[in-house]
Amino acid sequence: MHITQMQFRLGNYLLRPSWQGLLILMICLPIFIKLGLWQYHKAQLGTEIQSSYNRSLEQDALNLPSSFNNLDTWKYKKVKIKGHYETEYQILLDNQVENSVAGFHVITPLKLDGSNDYVLVNRGWVAGSATHTDLPTISTPNQALEVTGLVWLPSNKIFTLESEPQKNTWNVIWQHMDMERYRKSVPIHILPLVIKLDAKSNAGGFVRNWQLPTSKITTNIGYAYQWFGFALASVLIFLFTSIKKANNTKI
């Protein structure tokens, strides 16, 4: 079966696209545009989070409620709580790097005053020992404290190489902050969030150079431009290979 090649006259030029070129363009162009929009929307979301974070730093700390209708609305909110640390179920988040030095984030439960509820507080970074199995010495205040910090909602999307027996065995060192696993592992009632201790707080903190996941906004924008550039390039290549001068073309 013979397929007639398409042909259109544009002044002194002819547009004679091949079916193969048109098919490739129809496949690639939507994909490139979709990927570009995906990266652009990620950048927009990051910008919104960054704005919310900056506003929270400037606002007064809110009192943390004991229950939440919509937990997501508390993300990056500046809050304050009162209570005392209980280190029995303290954990260390592994693979945390500060100034090229490997270490841990110290996550300590804080029992709220006048309540049986606990809140996990990320007290910051401590350096690891030369031998990874040697745990660092963690000093903890034993008096009642007011803790101020930002609400952190750990991701539910966790990839781990730990086996089920490892995940079901209590261990001080954790690879990820898995709230569901933690709540199932301890006999205390934990609110479903973590508070990152404010950098200016004196409530038993360590190194706290908190970094937002939105630090990749510029990278996302760069990827968006890259995909949009691929889309534009595919159109230009299609036109370049399809347009010929009419006086040099036999019809």
Side-chain angles (χ1 to χ4, degrees), residues 24-67:
I24 293 173
L25 180 68
M26 292 176 65
I27 294 174
C28 292
L29 189 60
I31 292 175
F32 292 154
I33 292 176
K34 185 175 182 179
L35 289 171
L37 290 174
W38 174 56
Q39 290 291 340
Y40 176 77
H41 290 318
K42 286 180 67 175
Q44 290 294 103
L45 178 61
T47 301
E48 292 174 6
I49 292 174
Q50 183 71 59
S51 298
S52 176
Y53 174 81
N54 292 338
R55 287 195 300 270
S56 294
L57 294 179
E58 298 172 357
Q59 295 172 349
D60 294 334
L62 304 172
N63 291 316
L64 191 69
S66 58
S67 60

Side-chain angles (χ1 to χ4, degrees), residues 6-17:
M6 293 181 295
Q7 181 173 285
F8 307 94
R9 180 176 289 275
L10 301 171
N12 294 327
Y13 294 87
L14 290 177
L15 176 63
R16 304 181 68 180

Side-chain angles (χ1 to χ4, degrees), residues 144-165:
L145 300 165
E146 180 174 271
V147 170
T148 302
L150 296 181
V151 172
W152 172 41
L153 303 182
S155 174
N156 294 323
K157 299 177 181 179
I158 297 172
F159 173 77
T160 179
L161 296 176
E162 293 177 293
S163 63
E164 284 302 319

